[in-house]
Amino acid sequence: EGEVMFRQGDPADGFYLLLSGSIDVIKQEEEGGGGGGKSGRTVDTLFAGEYFGETALLSHAPRQATMRCREPVEVLRLSREDFEAGFVQQSTGGGAARPCGKTEAMASAEATARQALGFIQMVSSMQRSTLRHGETAFVEGDVGDRFFIIEDGHITVESNGVVLNNLEAGGCFGELALLTGAPRNATVRCTSERCRLLSMGVADFSRLMRRSAAVHSDIETLARTRSATHPAAGDPHGTQGHAAAKG
């Protein structure tokens, strides 16, 4: 009780899963009055089954909060090296070259998002589904109710009869409708013999966005870049990867 796991401003050296007990998340803030001191404010409390430490690792920044035990705890710690080797490098493998026709901004947003996708698969319970050739994940005008990662196969994105993009394993689609509440603005169709997809519903997606600032930032940046590139069809302009996603 009272032990500090790490302090705000420390270098990021690991990712943690809380197995038992509870931990306070404390933000250090400048005190008023010009004294130059800092005071701590508890902004959240984590309990068994929750995780922490990913934001600094994904954003390559110092720790953004102090984590202090409220009681004796058990944690599973993954070092930075294992954290990155476990999924970040795998999720970005083969994607260094900019795809033909992609803007620099889009290529950068997609590369960053692939790290977030690896983390999403690591910490989320996702539903697997299979599409056969010609079947659709959703059609233009549908209500946005799920976020998708392509595990295997090839996907074509179409809007108003025009093919906007061709996606493959390691890519994602469907995030903009969940972020904004707008209807789907494209049809997503399987163009290979079979497409295997991982997906999560609105509630799980929203909870993940609230829980992880780094993931939220990466996915929001991707959605914003897609929208700027194709204002009429920002949602489906997917992240393209070359390494198959792991569930």
Side-chain angles (χ1 to χ4, degrees), residues 64-232:
Q64 299 181 16
T66 295
M67 310 298 289
R68 185 163 59 206
C69 303
R70 300 185 67 185
E71 57 188 313
V73 303
E74 291 181 290
V75 297
L76 177 64
R77 179 182 179 277
L78 207 59
S79 70
R80 172 189 281 276
E81 292 74 20
D82 288 339
F83 180 84
E84 293 177 346
F87 69 88
V88 172
Q89 292 178 0
Q90 188 172 44
S91 67
T92 58
R98 189 199 310 178
C100 181
K102 300 283 187 180
T103 65
E104 184 175 351
M106 179 67 74
S108 176
E110 291 179 347
T112 301
R114 281 192 289 272
Q115 297 185 8
L117 296 181
F119 179 75
I120 288 171
Q121 293 169 75
M122 177 181 177
V123 301
S124 303
S125 177
M126 304 190 75
Q127 177 180 316
R128 275 190 169 85
S129 59
T130 301
L131 298 178
R132 297 188 182 278
H133 184 272
E135 292 182 332
T136 59
F138 52 76
V139 299
E140 195 166 354
D142 280 355
V143 173
D145 59 356
R146 301 195 74 81
F147 169 71
F148 296 85
I149 296 175
I150 305 168
E151 190 174 31
D152 188 40
H154 296 268
I155 293 286
T156 294
V157 180
E158 311 161 5
S159 180
N160 298 318
V162 177
V163 174
L164 300 176
N165 208 348
N166 294 290
L167 313 177
E168 58 186 36
C172 73
F173 57 91
E175 80 291 335
L176 185 61
L178 272 64
L179 288 170
T180 65
R184 301 294 192 188
N185 53 11
T187 296
V188 175
R189 189 184 311 277
C190 176
T191 54
S192 53
E193 181 179 354
R194 184 177 291 104
C195 297
R196 292 201 302 269
L197 305 176
L198 301 171
S199 68
M200 64 171 62
V202 178
D204 288 338
F205 180 83
S206 298
R207 188 179 305 112
L208 180 64
M209 294 301 103
R210 291 193 303 269
R211 175 65 189 85
S212 180
V215 173
H216 188 182
S217 176
D218 290 346
I219 296 299
E220 192 171 54
T221 297
L222 178 64
R224 187 168 57 249
T225 305
R226 291 171 174 170
S227 295
T229 304
H230 288 274

Side-chain angles (χ1 to χ4, degrees), residues 41-66:
R41 179 172 63 91
T42 299
V43 298
D44 199 3
T45 300
L46 306 183
F47 298 93
E50 297 191 89
Y51 55 85
F52 58 96
E54 80 287 350
T55 295
L57 291 171
L58 289 171
S59 61
H60 306 286
R63 297 296 189 188
Q64 299 181 16
T66 295

